[in-house]
Amino acid sequence: MSSLHETTLQRPEPLHKRERRKQARPGELLDAALCLFVEKGFAATRVEEVALHAGVSKGTLFLYFPTKEDLFKAVVHENIVKLFPAWNEEFNNFVGSSGDMLRFAMVTWWNQMGNTPASGIVKLVMSEAKNFPDIAAFYQEEVIHPGHALLRQILARGVSSGEFRALDLDQAVYTVVAPMIFLMMWKHSMGACAASADIVDPERFIHTQVDVLLHGLTTTPSL
């Protein structure tokens, strides 16, 4: 007959469950970190908060991410950087006009990144770059450079095919980037306020921006 102690003693969690929990921790930590980084900024976010939010100890967090900067870089990689290979493959295999390709690129960006919590990373980097140059340099190398290269490829395709007129491609890239940045900054500032949330419709805004980029504002070409 079992004693009271024996009947109330909890059995150890099966190994396979513990392993699944261990494997889930990096993802849970990155989700918690993204939430807090976007809400509070890089400087104001404490690793203790991230660990608490993810339901682990601070020591556990440091096993996966030795510093807060490492944690932030992992968040950027998980939510933005890892999207580029698929984006490049999609655009390399795109069938259609360069104008359609540009529209597809901007809509895809909004659906997969802009319309997600990760869009708040842009506002964070822009507001804190001066105080954290290493973070800014990392973001420049891992996000901005490949993003610009991808957009430049689309514009170059249009110039090469004769669909677009000759352009200073390095500068023209910013005409595509600027409305994307505006949407993300708006979303995490004025767009977060109930009174102004409906002023900008992201999808309509993107389609309007593409139309302006492709056709300009005037009804007839300048002489």
Side-chain angles (χ1 to χ4, degrees):
M1 185 174 180
S2 299
S3 68
L4 179 62
H5 175 71
E6 292 173 332
T7 59
T8 58
L9 185 65
Q10 292 185 344
R11 294 181 179 179
E13 188 179 18
L15 179 60
H16 67 282
K17 289 187 178 180
R18 294 203 305 273
E19 287 299 320
R20 286 203 302 268
R21 171 61 182 152
K22 184 177 179 181
Q23 292 170 5
R25 283 173 183 162
E28 292 169 355
L29 286 164
L30 293 178
D31 289 344
L34 173 62
C35 178
L36 289 169
F37 281 139
V38 170
E39 178 187 345
K40 305 182 70 172
F42 182 79
T45 297
R46 296 184 297 112
V47 292
E48 294 88 343
E49 294 177 285
V50 175
L52 181 64
H53 202 76
V56 302
S57 68
K58 184 172 67 172
T60 298
L61 185 151
F62 285 132
L63 287 176
Y64 297 102
F65 310 106
T67 69
K68 186 167 72 167
E69 184 174 315
D70 290 329
L71 178 62
F72 178 78
K73 289 179 178 180
V75 167
V76 173
H77 187 276
E78 178 68 17
N79 289 278
I80 304 178
V81 176
K82 78 173 191 179
L83 297 174
F84 280 112
W87 284 347
N88 280 294
E89 183 177 357
E90 285 182 325
F91 299 144
N92 287 334
N93 297 324
F94 188 85
V95 177
S97 71
S98 296
D100 289 341
M101 189 178 186
L102 182 62
R103 191 183 304 274
F104 175 74
M106 294 179 72
V107 170
T108 298
W109 160 82
W110 175 252
N111 289 335
Q112 296 184 10
M113 207 285 280
N115 195 29
T116 73
S119 58
I121 294 173
V122 174
K123 181 173 180 286
L124 180 158
V125 172
M126 293 185 71
S127 63
E128 302 197 53
K130 183 177 179 180
N131 295 325
F132 299 97
D134 289 344
I135 291 293
F138 166 81
Y139 191 82
Q140 182 92 3
E141 183 67 26
E142 298 294 327
V143 178
I144 294 177
H145 286 171
H148 283 200
L150 191 154
L151 293 173
R152 194 183 191 282
Q153 177 185 338
I154 296 173
L155 297 176
R157 180 182 188 265
V159 172
S160 178
S161 67
E163 298 169 74
F164 302 161
R165 62 182 176 82
L167 298 166
D168 180 341
L169 295 177
D170 292 329
Q171 295 301 307
V173 162
Y174 291 102
T175 67
V176 182
V177 171
M180 297 179 179
I181 293 176
F182 165 78
L183 271 183
M184 289 184 286
M185 297 296 286
W186 181 273
K187 176 182 176 181
H188 292 277
S189 55
M190 295 299 293
C193 303
S196 59
D198 296 329
I199 293 176
V200 177
D201 180 292
E203 293 192 8
R204 287 174 57 196
F205 176 82
I206 289 172
H207 286 292
T208 299
Q209 287 296 315
V210 175
D211 287 340
V212 171
L213 287 171
L214 295 178
H215 307 298
L217 293 173
T218 57
T219 56
T220 57
S222 299
L223 297 178

